[in-house]
mmCIF file of all heavy atoms in Angstrom:
data_model
loop_
_atom_site.group_PDB
_atom_site.id
_atom_site.type_symbol
_atom_site.label_atom_id
_atom_site.label_comp_id
_atom_site.label_asym_id
_atom_site.label_seq_id
_atom_site.Cartn_x
_atom_site.Cartn_y
_atom_site.Cartn_z
ATOM 1 N N LEU A 36 241.979 182.415 65.715
ATOM 2 C CA LEU A 36 240.782 183.140 65.293
ATOM 3 C C LEU A 36 239.632 182.227 64.708
ATOM 4 O O LEU A 36 238.476 182.206 65.076
ATOM 5 C CB LEU A 36 241.018 184.263 64.291
ATOM 6 C CG LEU A 36 241.793 185.413 64.974
ATOM 7 C CD1 LEU A 36 242.255 186.500 63.903
ATOM 8 C CD2 LEU A 36 240.934 186.147 66.158
ATOM 9 N N ASP A 61 253.122 186.687 89.217
ATOM 10 C CA ASP A 61 252.504 185.296 89.344
ATOM 11 C C ASP A 61 253.218 184.701 90.391
ATOM 12 O O ASP A 61 253.946 185.169 91.164
ATOM 13 C CB ASP A 61 252.513 184.586 87.922
ATOM 14 C CG ASP A 61 253.842 184.342 87.359
ATOM 15 O OD1 ASP A 61 254.860 184.490 88.209
ATOM 16 O OD2 ASP A 61 254.024 183.804 86.222
ATOM 17 N N ILE A 68 255.760 184.878 93.462
ATOM 18 C CA ILE A 68 255.485 184.881 94.976
ATOM 19 C C ILE A 68 256.025 183.632 95.701
ATOM 20 O O ILE A 68 256.708 183.796 96.708
ATOM 21 C CB ILE A 68 253.853 185.021 95.152
ATOM 22 C CG1 ILE A 68 253.564 186.438 94.689
ATOM 23 C CG2 ILE A 68 253.643 184.848 96.592
ATOM 24 C CD1 ILE A 68 252.005 186.739 94.698
ATOM 25 N N ASP A 118 234.862 190.853 75.832
ATOM 26 C CA ASP A 118 234.310 191.274 74.433
ATOM 27 C C ASP A 118 233.757 190.084 73.736
ATOM 28 O O ASP A 118 232.716 190.260 72.982
ATOM 29 C CB ASP A 118 235.491 191.756 73.677
ATOM 30 C CG ASP A 118 235.265 193.194 73.122
ATOM 31 O OD1 ASP A 118 234.660 193.944 73.850
ATOM 32 O OD2 ASP A 118 235.762 193.405 72.058
ATOM 33 N N GLN A 131 241.618 180.970 88.640
ATOM 34 C CA GLN A 131 242.384 180.670 89.919
ATOM 35 C C GLN A 131 242.712 181.960 90.570
ATOM 36 O O GLN A 131 243.270 182.035 91.672
ATOM 37 C CB GLN A 131 243.654 179.866 89.531
ATOM 38 C CG GLN A 131 243.213 178.430 89.060
ATOM 39 C CD GLN A 131 244.565 177.850 88.487
ATOM 40 O OE1 GLN A 131 245.305 177.223 89.145
ATOM 41 N NE2 GLN A 131 244.881 177.966 87.247
ATOM 42 N N ILE A 133 242.373 185.624 92.364
ATOM 43 C CA ILE A 133 241.625 186.331 93.445
ATOM 44 C C ILE A 133 241.614 187.744 93.198
ATOM 45 O O ILE A 133 241.257 188.529 94.210
ATOM 46 C CB ILE A 133 242.151 185.920 94.848
ATOM 47 C CG1 ILE A 133 243.655 186.253 94.902
ATOM 48 C CG2 ILE A 133 241.889 184.394 95.063
ATOM 49 C CD1 ILE A 133 244.175 186.191 96.334
ATOM 50 N N VAL A 174 245.185 191.961 112.769
ATOM 51 C CA VAL A 174 244.540 190.646 112.806
ATOM 52 C C VAL A 174 242.972 190.876 112.941
ATOM 53 O O VAL A 174 242.491 191.279 113.915
ATOM 54 C CB VAL A 174 244.958 189.746 113.965
ATOM 55 C CG1 VAL A 174 244.253 188.427 114.045
ATOM 56 C CG2 VAL A 174 246.497 189.646 113.963
ATOM 57 N N ARG A 176 239.055 190.734 113.467
ATOM 58 C CA ARG A 176 238.184 189.812 114.272
ATOM 59 C C ARG A 176 236.777 190.087 114.105
ATOM 60 O O ARG A 176 236.445 191.047 113.531
ATOM 61 C CB ARG A 176 238.571 190.072 115.744
ATOM 62 C CG ARG A 176 240.040 189.643 116.100
ATOM 63 C CD ARG A 176 240.307 190.019 117.615
ATOM 64 N NE ARG A 176 241.562 189.620 117.985
ATOM 65 C CZ ARG A 176 241.848 188.431 118.482
ATOM 66 N NH1 ARG A 176 240.870 187.541 118.807
ATOM 67 N NH2 ARG A 176 243.102 188.107 118.947
ATOM 68 N N SER A 215 230.503 172.563 76.390
ATOM 69 C CA SER A 215 231.278 173.619 75.535
ATOM 70 C C SER A 215 231.824 173.006 74.269
ATOM 71 O O SER A 215 231.922 171.826 74.118
ATOM 72 C CB SER A 215 232.470 174.087 76.472
ATOM 73 O OG SER A 215 232.017 174.913 77.423
ATOM 74 N N GLU A 235 243.531 166.759 81.109
ATOM 75 C CA GLU A 235 243.137 165.262 80.737
ATOM 76 C C GLU A 235 241.706 164.991 80.823
ATOM 77 O O GLU A 235 241.231 164.243 79.940
ATOM 78 C CB GLU A 235 243.874 164.415 81.827
ATOM 79 C CG GLU A 235 245.375 164.172 81.354
ATOM 80 C CD GLU A 235 246.274 163.475 82.379
ATOM 81 O OE1 GLU A 235 245.739 163.235 83.487
ATOM 82 O OE2 GLU A 235 247.435 163.271 82.041
ATOM 83 N N PRO A 254 253.319 170.927 81.477
ATOM 84 C CA PRO A 254 253.439 169.456 81.258
ATOM 85 C C PRO A 254 252.304 168.862 80.378
ATOM 86 O O PRO A 254 252.239 167.750 80.011
ATOM 87 C CB PRO A 254 253.290 168.876 82.687
ATOM 88 C CG PRO A 254 253.509 170.065 83.638
ATOM 89 C CD PRO A 254 253.191 171.267 82.930
ATOM 90 N N HIS A 265 252.993 182.915 74.381
ATOM 91 C CA HIS A 265 253.040 184.279 74.157
ATOM 92 C C HIS A 265 252.499 184.879 75.324
ATOM 93 O O HIS A 265 251.718 184.354 76.148
ATOM 94 C CB HIS A 265 252.247 184.590 72.929
ATOM 95 C CG HIS A 265 252.778 185.821 72.129
ATOM 96 N ND1 HIS A 265 253.785 185.892 71.295
ATOM 97 C CD2 HIS A 265 252.297 187.109 72.405
ATOM 98 C CE1 HIS A 265 253.924 187.076 70.885
ATOM 99 N NE2 HIS A 265 253.037 187.870 71.507
ATOM 100 N N ALA A 268 248.230 189.512 77.043
ATOM 101 C CA ALA A 268 247.768 190.919 76.691
ATOM 102 C C ALA A 268 248.323 191.350 75.333
ATOM 103 O O ALA A 268 247.626 191.857 74.444
ATOM 104 C CB ALA A 268 248.123 191.958 77.721
#
Side-chain angles (χ1 to χ4, degrees):
L36 290 172
D61 65 10
I68 293 170
D118 236 32
Q131 297 168 86
I133 52 172
V174 178
R176 290 173 181 271
S215 291
E235 273 168 0
H265 207 86

